[in-house]
Amino acid sequence: MALKRDEILLLFDVDGTLTKPRNCIEKDFKEFLYGEVRPRATVGLVGGSDLEKMMEQLGGREILDKFDYVFPENGLIQFEKGLEVGRVSISEHLGEEVLQRFLNYVLRYLSEVKIPVKRGTFIEFRNGMMNVSPIGRNCSQKERNEFEQYDKKHQVRQQMIDALKKEFSEVDLTYSIGGQISFDVFPNGWDKTYCLRHVTKGTNFKEIHFFGDKTDPGGNDYEIFTDSRTIGHKVTSPDDTKRQLIELLKI
């Protein structure tokens, strides 16, 4: 027997799952989500980016109305039915002394990294995490694509993560590669599974499905993809997400 809408929750990553990396959602796919998927299941977003970037990619503030749950920054900020219902802070968790030592080390490290191009905004400080980009988040889409290929060959991000793990071994931090040009840094347990604390409290979900593309170890979808509370779906593109949703929901 098919599950009722309030018995099944579908959680979606954004980049590579609902959109091409750092691109906007396609109109026909958005219509499919709202017209075909939403009537059949409770739907939520869980992204590593902040709310502003999620809105930029998915069509503005309408996502707060169209999705039952919106979880920016891995769910460290929680929106339910359009209203913010909670948030946690990395600065309060780590304390200013540790935070400044970490930021100073990152800036020194980046000053010595040699890559084909560097642009601007190398560290983006968010409410629940820090996002570090060796090339800089102000790079163009062309430069972003080129860095992704360069990084696959030279492991720039992974080498930096290895150095940070060694330098800050006593600090409870997790490092997670996501997207094309950066990696996230956050306290242990503050990965995307953090949102599950919210959706499993006072709800009647019999199934929680997660759709994401960075599901391999080290990717920022890995923990929630493999969590025992979710049914994980590895996707390769928005088209693949749509195909799997049609199969799952029998649309």
Side-chain angles (χ1 to χ4, degrees):
M1 189 173 77
L3 295 176
K4 298 176 182 177
R5 186 181 187 276
D6 61 357
E7 293 177 330
I8 181 170
L9 170 63
L10 309 180
L11 290 171
F12 299 97
D13 167 53
V14 180
D15 261 9
T17 301
L18 298 184
T19 74
K20 295 177 182 177
R22 290 307 301 151
N23 276 249
C24 294
I25 190 170
E26 298 286 343
K27 181 182 178 182
D28 62 338
F29 186 41
K30 183 163 70 169
E31 290 174 351
F32 168 75
L33 280 176
Y34 295 162
E36 301 291 344
V37 177
R38 191 168 181 265
R40 293 174 168 84
T42 306
V43 290
L45 298 170
V46 53
S49 298
D50 58 28
L51 180 62
E52 182 178 341
K53 287 188 177 63
M54 293 173 76
M55 291 194 298
E56 176 187 321
Q57 288 181 258
L58 297 175
R61 294 194 64 84
E62 71 174 12
I63 64 172
L64 296 176
D65 299 318
K66 297 293 188 180
F67 287 87
D68 301 278
Y69 299 103
V70 177
F71 297 119
E73 301 184 32
N74 288 356
L76 303 175
I77 302 174
Q78 304 111 38
F79 288 86
E80 183 175 353
K81 294 181 173 57
L83 300 175
E84 182 179 324
V85 294
R87 66 170 59 211
V88 293
S89 166
I90 190 173
S91 58
E92 292 179 6
H93 180 84
L94 293 180
E96 193 61 30
E97 182 179 348
V98 171
L99 188 60
Q100 286 201 31
R101 183 163 69 89
F102 182 88
L103 293 172
N104 289 340
Y105 181 89
V106 168
L107 291 169
R108 281 196 302 271
Y109 186 101
L110 288 174
S111 73
E112 298 172 359
V113 169
K114 289 183 171 57
I115 54 178
V117 299
K118 285 185 182 178
R119 295 300 177 247
T121 311
F122 300 100
I123 305 175
E124 189 172 83
F125 191 85
R126 300 172 183 169
N127 187 73
M129 69 176 71
M130 291 170 281
N131 179 266
V132 180
S133 175
I135 185 176
R137 297 193 66 87
N138 292 346
C139 62
S140 67
Q141 186 63 53
K142 180 175 180 291
E143 292 164 342
R144 175 184 288 267
N145 295 339
E146 290 171 349
F147 175 81
E148 182 181 29
Q149 296 307 310
Y150 183 88
D151 187 54
K152 285 179 180 178
K153 181 178 180 180
H154 298 281
Q155 298 290 299
V156 177
R157 288 182 288 180
Q158 189 58 56
Q159 287 182 33
M160 187 172 183
I161 287 172
D162 292 343
L164 287 165
K165 284 181 176 179
K166 182 177 179 180
E167 181 69 21
F168 295 92
S169 59
E170 83 287 359
V171 184
D172 69 326
L173 291 174
T174 294
Y175 305 85
S176 183
I177 293 175
Q180 296 176 289
I181 61 169
S182 64
F183 61 90
D184 296 329
V185 185
F186 44 83
N188 295 339
W190 288 22
D191 51 64
K192 287 184 178 179
T193 61
Y194 197 93
C195 77
L196 298 178
R197 306 182 190 192
H198 186 75
V199 300
T200 57
K201 184 171 59 179
T203 59
N204 300 310
F205 297 124
K206 294 181 178 178
E207 292 181 4
I208 299 176
H209 295 257
F210 172 76
F211 295 79
D213 65 320
K214 294 290 190 296
T215 58
D216 295 330
N220 66 352
D221 295 326
Y222 174 74
E223 290 82 6
I224 190 170
F225 174 76
T226 58
D227 193 280
S228 62
R229 294 167 289 183
T230 67
I231 300 168
H233 301 262
K234 180 179 178 62
V235 301
T236 57
S237 66
D239 285 343
D240 189 34
T241 303
K242 183 176 181 178
R243 179 189 63 78
Q244 294 195 39
L245 284 169
I246 290 171
E247 184 177 330
L248 173 66
L249 299 174
K250 296 178 173 53
I251 297 174

